[in-house]
Amino acid sequence: MRQNDPTPSIESANRALLDTLPFSDTADLDAADRGFLGTLDDPAIRNDAGEIVWDASSYDFLQGDAPSTVNPSLWRQSKLVAKHGLFEVVEGLYQVRGLDLSVMSFIEGDTGVIAVDPLISAETAKAALALYRKHRGEKPLVAVVFTHSHIDHFGGVLGIVDPADPASPKVDIVAPHGFLEHAIAENVYAGTAMGRRAGYMYGAALDRGPAGQVGAGLGQTTSTGTPGILVPTIDVRDTGETHTIDGVEFEFQMAPNTEAPAEMHFYLPRYRALCMAENATHNLHNLLTLRGALVRDPHVWSRYLSEAIQRYGDRADVLFASHHWPTWGTERIVHFLGVQRDLYGYLHDQTLRQLNKGLTGAEIAEDFRMPPALEAEWSTHGYYGSVSHNVKAIYQRYMGWFDGNPARLWPHPPQAQAERYVAAIGGVDRVIELAQEAYDQGDFRWAATLLDHAVFTDPGNAAVKTLYADTLEQLGYGSENGTWRNFFLSGATELREGNFGTPTNTDAPAILAQLSPEQIFDAVSITVDGPKAWDLDLALDITFTDLGRSFHLTLHNGVLIYVEKDPDGTAPLSLRLSKPRFLRLAAGDTTSDGLEVEGDTGILDRLTAVLDPGDPDFEIVLP
């Protein structure tokens, strides 16, 4: 793929950061190296077919000073996060870092080991456990802790636990209340759209290198192996709740609706160690992730960090999380948590102060300034979340998408709006001229806005796509935020090479298998093509033979409704099948064994004919 050098304006901006940020501070570099015990002999992790799902060596280029194509602050963060291997946190507590987006921790008990947050893929989790055992011996796995409901903290569990093996010892699965519901919902209901956008966010299709993907701030990128999930056996509900697992006492702190809707921290008295899940990491986190999610609550996030300081600050000698490297020393821990607390509290309060003066989210974000004391801390920098999009997220949380200006209440959709703007400006050629002027002046934001309108008016115009790709590339070169860089460079890649689709799949069979019948019906209802179903009036009964549950379904006014009730013989169609067979039916399999049908089979045909599954290859930078 053709790539350009950074323009003088980007080079100058990147050089200026070297004089304004505390690059002489090496504390994080020392912490990220501390306790290193070793790494994989082969840094490429493969699936059963021999395909690489993770290659730690692909980031070996992250050496020395930042090249001109990478913001030096992001380069520093990526060098830290790319370090891979097994690390001793304290004796008896270990972490495998750099083998997936997240970090997997191991807590040694009296007879075995407890794993915390087993990465995204079975393959990477299996490799992490093997690396731990290589250095610490063949200790049996006795429990797995999921700190929260995001896939990078549970997806690899089937790589270390085999529930189908009767010879396997019982392994407890510990998770916060609501974990399963939220984990499933996020990966299924809007999973297609989130997955497509996640490809942009993590730069999954980008080449690794100084002109391409260098990391995502929170971790380098996502593995592409096989995700799964297991149902928790221990449901943690209350702050202060304790459980002793293999002789190790866990004291839990609930933190719902922070970084995840179901999330918890825990304290280990045996090791004087505090795990903060994903609520205190070495960067500013997302309040609204760019792949899409519900807006998170920075106010309660800040409060839970305050509570953690009060409950555990004077009892902890080390703080670790499920991303990045630990923090050692009681004084440093309290300082670190205090900085993180103030970071989210300040974002929340100052955004609310200004929206109450009538400013919109974009206006607040444009001039938002962090306190100098917070700005001077590396851990507050926007490598993953950013001040800009987090402020807009807070505005959205309280005020919604509409900013109150009636002219913006009913605008044309993007393509129709673009056509009108381009016509008003004087045509596509004139837009290109103005965009080129903006590009040459280093105003890449304005150039991108102009070219966005141009490409939505004339998507086949090669000159528009070339200049637009060049513009996004420059924006990427200057970004301190890893996910912004990945979005810009992914857009440039698709403009130059075409749609790369969705590189990873989160609604994997092992996850779908854990859906409740209600969640299955909800997932199916989302795919009903409403206009095609307007005139249908259908009813059927479904009995899940493996669950002993029955439901009555109706399709009326384009809406699929279900209620749990036993069949009464009045429905014109009755189906009897197992839950796995229903999942195959929902995917279009109407002919294989395991399906008992009684009544009007045409109802099933008419229902399946109006199901319209999502498109994992929808366009983003093109109409």
Side-chain angles (χ1 to χ4, degrees):
M1 181 180 72
R2 183 182 66 85
Q3 291 178 301
N4 298 312
D5 293 330
T7 62
S9 61
I10 292 295
E11 287 187 317
S12 176
N14 283 345
R15 279 197 306 270
L17 289 175
L18 296 173
D19 298 324
T20 57
L21 296 176
F23 284 94
S24 61
D25 178 2
T26 63
D28 286 339
L29 300 173
D30 298 336
D33 285 331
R34 180 170 169 172
F36 177 72
L37 298 177
T39 192
L40 300 178
D41 294 330
D42 180 359
I45 300 172
R46 294 170 170 81
N47 61 19
D48 290 340
E51 301 162 328
I52 294 176
V53 303
W54 180 268
D55 186 0
S57 67
S58 66
Y59 293 101
D60 284 351
F61 66 88
L62 289 163
Q63 305 290 331
D65 295 335
S68 59
T69 52
V70 184
N71 182 293
S73 181
L74 176 60
W75 182 262
R76 173 191 178 276
Q77 179 78 353
S78 295
K79 287 170 65 176
L80 289 163
V81 176
K83 294 176 183 292
H84 55 89
L86 178 69
F87 297 82
E88 183 178 83
V89 180
V90 296
E91 186 176 357
L93 175 57
Y94 301 84
Q95 288 190 311
V96 173
R97 304 202 291 269
L99 297 191
D100 211 321
L101 180 71
S102 51
V103 167
M104 187 171 174
S105 301
F106 296 95
I107 302 162
E108 294 182 351
D110 292 346
T111 65
V113 65
I114 301 152
V116 180
D117 288 355
L119 311 181
I120 293 174
S121 304
E123 296 86 349
T124 54
K126 182 178 179 180
L129 179 58
L131 179 61
Y132 163 80
R133 285 175 168 163
K134 176 182 177 180
H135 291 272
R136 295 297 300 166
E138 291 291 326
K139 296 177 174 62
L141 185 70
V142 297
V144 179
V145 177
F146 300 148
T147 62
H148 59 291
S149 53
H150 290 154
I151 196 169
D152 52 324
H153 302 271
F154 66 80
V157 67
L158 295 181
I160 60 174
V161 179
D162 184 2
D165 182 0
S168 296
K170 180 180 182 295
V171 176
D172 276 318
I173 307 297
V174 186
H177 183 63
F179 163 83
L180 191 64
E181 174 190 354
H182 291 296
I184 294 296
E186 180 159 307
N187 288 290
V188 175
Y189 294 163
T192 300
M194 288 184 181
R196 170 73 170 123
R197 283 170 49 161
Y200 266 54
M201 179 173 173
Y202 294 108
L206 299 177
D207 292 335
R208 312 285 187 262
Q213 207 266 11
V214 301
L218 189 69
Q220 289 305 89
T221 189
T222 52
S223 64
T224 56
T226 308
I229 195 170
L230 287 176
V231 176
T233 61
I234 298 177
D235 182 46
V236 182
R237 291 173 173 262
D238 300 312
T239 292
E241 183 175 332
T242 62
H243 292 270
T244 299
I245 304 171
D246 197 31
V248 178
E249 181 184 354
F250 285 70
E251 180 182 334
F252 292 97
Q253 180 199 6
M254 306 310 294
N257 300 314
T258 51
E259 188 271 337
E263 189 149 356
M264 65 186 183
H265 314 145
F266 61 83
Y267 174 71
L268 304 170
R270 174 184 288 195
Y271 297 112
R272 289 183 57 85
L274 175 61
C275 176
M276 292 302 296
E278 202 167 319
N279 283 330
T281 55
H282 293 274
N283 56 209
L284 170 60
H285 213 295
N286 283 307
L287 298 178
L288 178 56
T289 176
L290 299 182
R291 64 177 168 81
L294 299 177
V295 179
R296 298 158 186 172
D297 187 344
H299 183 56
V300 301
W301 195 326
S302 180
R303 285 174 50 204
Y304 285 127
L305 292 177
S306 282
E307 183 180 61
I309 294 171
Q310 295 301 312
R311 294 183 71 92
Y312 310 115
D314 61 353
R315 293 196 279 156
D317 293 332
V318 65
L319 179 152
F320 66 104
S322 296
H323 294 273
H324 300 154
W325 53 96
T327 299
W328 287 269
T330 301
E331 185 176 339
R332 288 191 180 93
I333 290 168
V334 171
H335 175 76
F336 173 66
L337 287 175
V339 164
Q340 289 282 303
R341 172 200 61 200
D342 295 346
L343 172 64
Y344 297 107
Y346 190 87
L347 284 168
H348 174 269
D349 295 350
Q350 296 308 306
T351 300
L352 267 291
R353 178 180 67 84
Q354 294 182 76
L355 75 80
N356 279 318
K357 291 180 176 292
L359 277 69
T360 67
E363 290 168 335
I364 299 167
E366 189 67 18
D367 293 320
F368 199 97
R369 297 293 179 267
M370 297 300 294
L374 293 182
E375 186 69 24
E377 299 277 349
W378 285 113
S379 69
T380 66
H381 280 248
Y383 303 117
Y384 190 56
S386 75
V387 169
S388 178
H389 74 252
N390 279 345
V391 165
K392 294 167 188 172
I394 296 168
Y395 185 93
Q396 176 183 320
R397 179 178 177 85
Y398 284 93
M399 304 300 290
W401 62 268
F402 178 45
D403 68 5
N405 186 318
R408 298 169 193 147
L409 179 58
W410 191 32
H412 288 289
Q415 188 168 4
Q417 192 175 81
E419 291 167 351
R420 288 161 172 78
Y421 272 116
V422 169
I425 290 171
V428 168
D429 290 343
R430 178 55 180 156
V431 174
I432 295 174
E433 290 177 13
L434 293 171
Q436 185 66 60
E437 292 175 10
Y439 182 97
D440 293 340
Q441 295 167 6
D443 190 354
F444 303 111
R445 294 167 68 184
W446 178 233
T449 298
L450 289 168
L451 293 164
D452 174 38
H453 287 314
V455 81
F456 266 63
T457 301
D458 187 2
N461 189 304
V464 169
K465 292 166 75 173
T466 295
L467 183 55
Y468 191 13
D470 293 347
T471 299
L472 294 178
E473 187 174 61
Q474 295 300 319
L475 287 167
Y477 289 164
S479 294
E480 182 182 48
N481 184 286
T483 62
W484 283 36
R485 177 185 174 94
N486 292 335
F487 255 87
F488 290 135
L489 296 185
S490 292
T493 297
E494 290 204 332
L495 288 164
R496 289 168 176 162
E497 299 184 356
N499 188 309
F500 55 64
T502 300
T504 57
N505 177 28
T506 58
D507 58 346
I511 294 178
L512 293 177
Q514 298 300 330
L515 290 169
S516 68
E518 292 87 347
Q519 289 171 322
I520 294 173
F521 296 139
D522 284 341
V524 172
S525 69
I526 292 167
T527 70
V528 172
D529 186 330
K532 285 185 178 180
W534 282 345
D535 297 326
L536 291 180
D537 192 356
L538 307 178
L540 67 155
D541 289 329
I542 296 179
T543 296
F544 292 99
T545 55
D546 53 339
L547 303 178
R549 301 180 67 189
S550 297
F551 293 82
H552 182 69
L553 279 68
T554 58
L555 179 63
H556 184 67
N557 289 329
V559 181
L560 184 68
I561 300 296
Y562 60 88
V563 293
E564 185 166 8
K565 57 181 273 189
D566 291 332
D568 59 11
T570 61
L573 174 65
S574 177
L575 306 179
R576 288 177 56 84
L577 71 176
S578 67
K579 188 177 78 169
R581 181 63 184 86
F582 183 81
L583 288 171
R584 298 200 302 275
L585 176 65
D589 178 3
T590 60
T591 59
S592 63
D593 293 340
L595 173 62
E596 300 177 32
V597 181
E598 182 178 340
D600 181 3
T601 58
I603 290 175
L604 186 59
D605 294 334
R606 292 193 291 277
L607 174 60
T608 56
V610 297
L611 299 184
D612 181 27
D615 177 10
D617 301 327
F618 63 80
E619 295 290 355
I620 292 179
V621 290
L622 295 174

